[in-house]
Amino acid sequence: MTSSPAVRPVSFARGAPSTDIVDVEGLTQAATDAFAADPAGMTGYGTAVGYPPLRQWIADKHGVPVDHVLVTNGSMQADAFLFDELVTPGTAVLAERPTYDRTLLGLRQRGADVRLVTLEEDGIAVDEVAQLLAEGLRPALAHVIPTFQNPAGYTLSLAKRERLLELAREHGFLVFEDDPYVDVRFSGEPLPRMLELDGGAASEHVVYACSFSKTICPGIRVGYLVGPPALIAKVRVRATNTYIAPGMVAQGIVHAYLTGERFPAALERVKAALAERVGALDTALRSHLPEATFRRPEGGYFLWVSLPADAGHDVARIVTEAADRGVAIVAGTDFLLEGGENSFRLAYSAVPAEDVEDGVRRLAEAVHAARG
């Protein structure tokens, strides 16, 4: 008896780029350049606000004074510091439905009163936000992932960005603009950040977070906050008490890479690869899962798939059946407080285009097998 050949695994689960689209050679050179240019800064403790040249680069990018910026060990660290500062048990927080599972976890761990607001294809339902406010809800902040949202891949429209800011000014809450995917747009026209719409350096209602995980590589673990200096100063105290200083080596390498010659071309290669992969995913889903509904994103890493709600789908069984076929996905229920049994998230960032079609074919088999 001969054994069947091993099935090549395909993971649509992890939001990370495959190694072939990371500029390893360029990062290696950036590390050498960073140590040569600033050995004392790279090898010392530094301060909690981050590596000074990178902090200044970020401030220049966003057109704000440097005291508006704090550089962290990844944007998740930035999120954690901000939540620790603003959220206590019972604090009302608005977030999208669905939203990033780690956001939900972080808010619930702090005892937040999380109010999930419907996520539409053009972003959070601002009319629903307005209704909650009219009913007396007084949130401390609204967490939104405005560009190529995780998990849905949707982008908040300009009109909704402006309306959300109007509501924030009127009702006195902060908009937490969590924006790690903004620079990996591969089609369509870019939109202004809400930080910019609120006045940039004069903004009082937006705290902005971003990361270099998507534009350089996730292993570098460098993110940042931009916000009102009084709030950033409070977060700085938390950062000092947590780790004295973030990783100067990683931040120095990021700065050397950003200011070197290779970064622009490397970013274009990343965006071209993502565009090819999402195109293959779109075609494969339409071929193998024609009953599925989804919106093809214009950037980012993720695509949200919904199956007919009245067809009795159970995403937990789909996940299991897919795993049996060597395909990994993430259940929609992971991104919600309730519901999502007929949905799942597909991350295309780590799947080479030539593997997408076979992965979706096996996924479709899993969907049909899960229905029995």
Side-chain angles (χ1 to χ4, degrees):
M1 179 178 179
T2 59
S3 59
S4 59
V7 176
R8 181 187 177 107
V10 176
S11 178
F12 294 112
R14 194 76 188 271
S18 53
T19 307
D20 61 300
I21 60 174
V22 173
D23 182 14
V24 177
E25 181 181 339
L27 285 170
T28 303
Q29 184 60 53
T32 300
D33 294 344
F35 276 107
D38 187 12
M42 290 282 286
T43 58
Y45 275 119
T47 66
V49 293
Y51 185 61
L54 179 60
R55 189 186 187 211
Q56 185 64 59
W57 186 94
I58 293 166
D60 293 343
K61 174 182 174 71
H62 293 287
V64 300
V66 74
D67 63 349
H68 289 234
V69 177
L70 184 135
V71 194
T72 59
N73 293 325
S75 64
M76 284 299 299
Q77 182 80 71
D79 292 10
F81 283 150
L82 189 65
F83 291 161
D84 284 341
E85 188 62 38
L86 299 177
V87 178
T88 56
T91 299
V93 177
L94 299 173
E96 298 151 323
R97 183 176 64 239
T99 191
Y100 181 39
D101 54 349
R102 294 290 174 175
T103 298
L104 284 179
L105 177 63
L107 291 171
R108 297 182 75 182
Q109 284 178 333
R110 291 163 178 82
D113 175 14
V114 182
R115 303 295 185 95
L116 296 186
V117 178
T118 304
L119 181 68
E120 299 169 330
E121 289 193 354
D122 62 346
I124 193 170
V126 290
D127 289 343
E128 194 173 317
V129 173
Q131 181 62 37
L132 288 169
L133 296 169
E135 292 170 358
L137 185 71
R138 292 296 176 262
L141 73 154
H143 175 274
V144 291
I145 307 171
T147 316
F148 318 130
Q149 196 253 16
N150 180 5
Y154 301 162
T155 294
L156 186 63
S157 68
L158 178 59
K160 285 190 171 183
R161 292 174 190 233
E162 293 172 335
R163 178 61 176 144
L164 186 61
L165 285 173
E166 289 175 1
L167 293 171
R169 297 181 192 117
E170 181 180 349
H171 294 276
F173 62 87
L174 277 174
V175 175
F176 181 21
E177 187 175 11
D178 195 358
D179 209 18
Y181 307 99
V182 62
D183 291 321
V184 284
R185 173 180 287 276
F186 43 74
S187 64
E189 294 299 321
L191 294 172
R193 295 168 172 84
M194 284 181 282
L195 178 69
E196 299 164 7
L197 294 173
D198 197 45
S203 173
E204 297 180 355
H205 297 92
V206 177
V207 179
Y208 184 86
C210 199
S211 167
F212 298 103
S213 294
K214 312 305 182 287
T215 53
I216 296 179
C217 74
I220 209 77
R221 304 311 302 140
V222 177
Y224 61 89
L225 284 174
V226 180
L231 178 58
I232 293 298
K234 292 179 180 179
V235 175
R236 175 180 182 164
V237 173
R238 291 188 179 276
T240 301
N241 294 338
T242 300
Y243 48 42
I244 301 177
M248 295 295 106
V249 170
Q251 293 187 15
I253 293 170
V254 166
H255 179 259
Y257 190 67
L258 291 170
T259 56
E261 296 180 352
R262 296 178 66 109
F263 176 63
L267 181 57
E268 289 305 314
R269 285 195 299 273
V270 169
K271 292 192 288 187
L274 293 174
E276 181 185 22
R277 292 169 188 192
V278 81
L281 183 58
D282 181 294
T283 299
L285 285 169
R286 294 179 190 280
S287 174
H288 296 290
L289 269 178
E291 68 271 32
T293 58
F294 59 91
R295 181 181 179 89
R296 178 171 170 168
E298 296 181 331
Y301 283 9
F302 305 108
L303 184 148
W304 182 259
V305 177
S306 295
L307 299 168
D310 58 354
H313 290 287
D314 178 353
V315 74
R317 291 187 62 187
I318 294 172
V319 169
T320 299
E321 292 285 353
D324 289 345
R325 291 163 174 79
V327 177
I329 62 173
V330 183
T333 50
D334 285 9
F335 306 99
L336 295 155
L337 296 177
E338 59 183 16
E341 288 82 5
N342 66 314
S343 301
F344 49 86
R345 186 193 75 177
L346 299 180
Y348 49 83
S349 53
V351 185
E354 60 269 21
D355 293 338
V356 168
E357 197 274 340
D358 183 53
V360 173
R361 178 187 57 77
R362 285 186 261 154
L363 173 59
E365 293 175 356
V367 169
H368 299 144
R371 292 188 61 198

